[in-house]
Structures are given as structure tokens and as C-alpha cells.
């Protein structure tokens, strides 16, 4: 069973950058699409970004497109989320997860398609 651990969150000011990591143990990520979702207090889970198992395709939520970049290093069994030009509305707990289907074609933006959710890392952006 794959276990995912997110890290890299913190308290930053608007306009700053952060790089989140999603490290896997107990299995390989290389055959699975990986996504980042976030959840702010009192709100539902929001799709942030996804990357295909090959790394050749990425997908972003409309609120982060142009500011966030998802990447993966299969040799390190890790996926990253580079977040630039952070805004207060980016404040949330960020979670990564693996696709339920190996080598799925296309990146889905619905949480039900994913499993092995990590515990999350808190990102807080102040004004």
C-alpha cells in the first residue's frame, strides 16, 4: 500500500513562493497520475494540479493556472508543486493522491478518482 507524505507548507506573505513535496513509500508512483487538491476551512476539496504518470501531461485548476507548476521525479518517487505569486485565497491544507487506475489516459479533476491521500500540509498566505 502506497503511503504519501506531503511537506513544504508554511506561513508566507502574499507574492511569496513555496515548493510542496509529495513523497511516496511502500510502492512506486511511476505508473500513476498524481494530483494535488486543497481544502480551505469550511470549503470542499478543490483540484489544484495533476501530472500524468509519464510526466508529459499536466493539468491545473483555473485559480492557479499560470502561478503553480507540478512536476515529478520518478527516480525519487516524489511529486512537487511549485507555487509562485501566492495569494491569501491560496490558504488551505494541500493534499496529494494517486489515481485509482494505473496508467490512466487523461487527468481527472474529481477527488473520487484518487486514493492514498496524504495527511496534508498547511499553506497560509498572509496579506
Amino acid at each position: 500500500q502506497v503511503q504519501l507524505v506531503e511537506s513544504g507548507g508554511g506561513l508566507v506573505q502574499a507574492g511569496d513562493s513555496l515548493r510542496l513535496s509529495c513523497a511516496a513509500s511502500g510502492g512506486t508512483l511511476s505508473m500513476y497520475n498524481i494530483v494535488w487538491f486543497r481544502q480551505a476551512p469550511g470549503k470542499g476539496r478543490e483540484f489544484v494540479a495533476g501530472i500524468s504518470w509519464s510526466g508529459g501531461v499536466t493539468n491545473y485548476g483555473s485559480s492557479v493556472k499560470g502561478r503553480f507548476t507540478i512536476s515529478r521525479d520518478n527516480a525519487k518517487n516524489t511529486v512537487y508543486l511549485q507555487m509562485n505569486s501566492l495569494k491569501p485565497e491560496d490558504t488551505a491544507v494541500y493534499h496529494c493522491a494517486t489515481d485509482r487506475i494505473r496508467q490512466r489516459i487523461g487527468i481527472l479533476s474529481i477527488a473520487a478518482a484518487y486514493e492514498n491521500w496524504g495527511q496534508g500540509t498547511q499553506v497560509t498566505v498572509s496579506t
Side-chain angles (χ1 to χ4, degrees), residues 19-99:
R19 188 197 197 202
L20 305 185
S21 297
C22 171
S25 61
T28 180
L29 297 180
S30 62
M31 293 292 106
Y32 296 90
N33 298 344
I34 307 297
V35 293
W36 287 94
F37 276 72
R38 66 187 182 187
Q39 188 161 18
K43 295 187 177 181
R45 230 178 282 189
E46 177 190 7
F47 174 77
V48 176
I51 188 165
S52 64
W53 60 272
S54 67
V57 178
T58 57
N59 193 15
Y60 297 93
S62 58
S63 61
V64 306
K65 197 171 294 184
R67 299 187 296 123
F68 290 11
T69 303
I70 189 170
S71 62
R72 68 189 300 157
D73 185 339
N74 285 340
K76 294 184 178 180
N77 223 16
T78 301
V79 173
Y80 304 98
L81 184 68
Q82 178 66 42
M83 307 187 297
N84 298 331
S85 303
L86 283 162
K87 304 175 181 180
E89 50 265 44
D90 294 320
T91 295
V93 178
Y94 285 70
H95 301 268
C96 59
T98 64
D99 201 313

